[in-house]
Amino acid sequence: MTSPLPPFDWDIFCTVVDNFGDIGVTWRLARQLEREGHGQVRLWVDDLASFARICPGLDPALDGQWVEGIHIQHWQGPLPADAIPASVVIEAFACELPAPFIERMAEQSPPPCWINLEYLSAEAWVEDCHGLASPQRVGRLSLNKYFFFPGFTPRTGGLLCEQGLVAERDRWQQDEAGLAAYWASLGLPPKAQDELRISLFTYESEALKSLVASWSQGATPVTLLLPMGRALSDVLCGAGLESAIGTARAGDLLQAGQLAIKLLPMTSQAGYDRLLWSCDLNLVRGEDSFVRAQWAARPFLWHIYQQEEEAHLVKLAHFLDHYLEALPAEDGQWLRELNLALNRGEDCSELWAQWPIHGTLWQQHARSWSQKLLREGDLVTRLVKFLESRI
C-alpha cells in the first residue's frame, strides 16, 4: 500500500507542445520554487518521453514519481480521485486545466490562487495585461484566474533566474582550467586564441546554410557545437557535408574548411547552461534557450518559431527594441538586420562578415544586458510577491 501524498503548495500543469520549450520553462520554475523554499511542488506533464530527454532522472513509464524533490505526475485521462488542488495552481501557457480539477478548486475554502503563466513577450500591451484577473464561472461558484506575463520591464513578471545562477556562471567563465577540462569532456582541445566557439540550437532555416558556409570559408577558425536536432541537415548542407546527413551521430567531429562541427547529444538543462556559458556566440530558439542565452552574458541570435502572418517577426522586433536600446546606432542596426535575416531565412553572409567590427562591443553589451534584467527581480521573486496579497 502506497503512502498518501502530502498536500501541495503548487500545482503546475504543462502540455508539451514544442518538445522542450514549454516543459523546459515549467521544469525550471518547479525546481526553483522547491529549491528556494517556497513549498512543495507537483508538476503535471502530458508527455514524459520528451520531458525525460532534458531530465535524465525521470522514468517515462511511471505515472507518478519524485525527481529532485518534485512530484511529477503523468497528465493523461481522468485525474487521480485523491488529487486535491494546491494553494497555487499554474496553468502554463494556457494549457486548459481539466474541468473536474477546476471544480475541485472552486469547492475549496479558500480557493487556490489560479495563475495563467503566459508566453514571454516584449510587446507593450503585456504591461497592461500583466496581473489582471479574469472571473471564471464554475457552476454556481466562481474563481479568479490571474494572467502573469514574463517580460523585460518592471511592469511585467520578469524572467526565470534561480538564486546563485549569475555567480555560478561567473565562476565558470573565469576558470580557465575548468573550461579546458569541459572542452576535453566533449572531445575538443582548449579554445585557440583566434578561434570562435559557437553553439547552435535552432529550427530549420535557409539562413543557416549561408552562415555555416561563411564559417567554413572564412579566415577565422570556428568550432560549432551542435546538439542533434532539427537544424542538423541545414548545417551539414551549408558546410558541403550532405553525404554525412544520414550517418551523423552524436560525438562525431566533422571538418569543412575553417569550420569544425562537433555533434552533441541532448543534455540536461544544467549541461546546456554550461554550453552557453562556454561559447562566444549562441544561436537559440523558443523561450527557454532564449532566456538562458541572456543569462549566459554572451552574444546570441534568437530564432523564433515561424508563425502565420509573420507574427514572430513582430515579437522579435519588440524584443530588439529593448535589447538594442543602449547600443550605438550603427551596431544596433547591424544586429537587428542579422536577427531579421536569420528569421526570414535570408542570406546572412554579408552581415556575418561584419562580426569583426561589431563583435567586441556586442560581447560587452551582452554582459551589461544580463545585469540590467535582474535589477527588478527574477520571475519567482515577482510571482511570490504578487501572490502574497492574494492567498
Side-chain angles (χ1 to χ4, degrees), residues 121-122 126-127 149-158 322 373 376 382:
S121 176
V126 166
E127 293 188 331
F149 283 86
F152 301 93
T153 70
R155 291 177 56 195
T156 66
H322 290 284
L373 290 176
E376 302 295 330
R382 298 191 204 189

Side-chain angles (χ1 to χ4, degrees), residues 77-291:
L79 301 189
D82 58 351
I84 299 172
S87 302
V88 182
V89 176
I90 297 177
E91 60 176 34
F93 316 119
C95 63
E96 294 191 22
L97 303 182
F101 195 83
I102 297 176
E103 293 170 6
R104 295 178 206 174
M105 291 166 58
E107 292 166 356
Q108 287 186 258
S109 182
C113 191
W114 184 1
I115 300 288
N116 180 7
L117 179 65
E118 289 282 356
Y119 285 103
L120 172 62
S121 176
E123 295 174 84
W125 61 266
V126 166
E127 293 188 331
D128 297 325
C129 296
H130 175 63
L132 291 182
S134 174
Q136 307 287 311
R137 294 297 301 177
V138 186
R140 287 180 286 179
L141 302 173
S142 64
L143 288 170
N144 277 331
K145 176 163 64 172
Y146 296 94
F147 292 91
F148 197 89
F149 283 86
F152 301 93
T153 70
R155 291 177 56 195
T156 66
L159 303 178
L160 278 173
C161 182
E162 53 271 32
Q163 292 178 10
L165 178 72
V166 171
E168 183 184 357
R169 175 203 70 197
D170 289 345
R171 286 192 299 270
W172 179 274
Q173 292 178 340
Q174 295 162 13
D175 182 1
E176 292 186 11
L179 283 168
Y182 173 71
W183 295 126
S185 73
L186 299 181
L188 295 171
K191 188 169 83 77
Q193 188 171 0
D194 63 340
E195 177 190 0
L196 281 178
R197 293 211 164 158
I198 301 173
S199 80
L200 192 151
F201 182 61
T202 71
Y203 303 108
E204 305 89 336
S205 173
E206 286 294 314
L208 292 180
K209 298 178 182 179
S210 62
L211 268 177
V212 172
S214 296
W215 296 335
S216 66
Q217 298 164 15
T220 301
V222 175
T223 299
L224 180 64
L225 288 303
L226 180 65
M228 299 292 290
R230 298 175 59 166
L232 177 64
S233 293
D234 285 340
V235 167
L236 295 184
C237 285
L241 298 172
E242 292 91 343
S243 61
I245 291 175
T247 59
R249 297 291 181 268
D252 290 351
L253 181 63
L254 308 175
Q255 193 72 39
Q258 288 281 67
L259 174 65
I261 303 173
K262 181 64 178 182
L263 302 182
L264 303 177
M266 287 299 299
T267 183
S268 66
Q269 290 183 320
Y272 186 63
D273 282 338
R274 290 190 289 269
L275 176 64
L276 295 174
W277 298 346
S278 304
C279 289
D280 302 297
L281 170 66
N282 297 299
L283 279 70
V284 295
R285 74 187 203 196
E287 179 168 328
D288 184 53
S289 59
F290 168 51
V291 171

Side-chain angles (χ1 to χ4, degrees), residues 288-304:
D288 184 53
S289 59
F290 168 51
V291 171
R292 303 312 281 196
Q294 293 174 71
W295 298 135
R298 297 289 199 223
F300 70 92
L301 293 170
W302 183 26
H303 189 207
I304 315 176

Side-chain angles (χ1 to χ4, degrees), residues 322-387:
H322 290 284
Y323 184 63
L324 304 178
E325 184 178 13
L327 279 174
E330 183 179 352
D331 299 276
Q333 185 61 31
W334 169 76
L335 191 46
R336 184 181 295 272
E337 290 176 2
L338 184 56
N339 272 277
L340 286 171
L342 173 64
N343 281 278
R344 289 172 175 160
E346 297 172 350
D347 190 312
C348 297
S349 54
E350 290 188 10
L351 288 164
W352 175 255
Q354 299 178 50
W355 162 271
I357 301 172
H358 304 285
T360 299
L361 184 59
W362 189 8
Q363 291 165 350
Q364 297 168 357
H365 174 66
R367 184 161 294 275
S368 61
W369 172 255
S370 73
Q371 295 167 345
K372 176 184 177 182
L373 290 176
L374 275 183
R375 286 178 192 151
E376 302 295 330
D378 64 286
L379 185 146
V380 165
T381 298
R382 298 191 204 189
L383 176 60
V384 170
K385 184 176 181 180
F386 176 81
L387 293 168

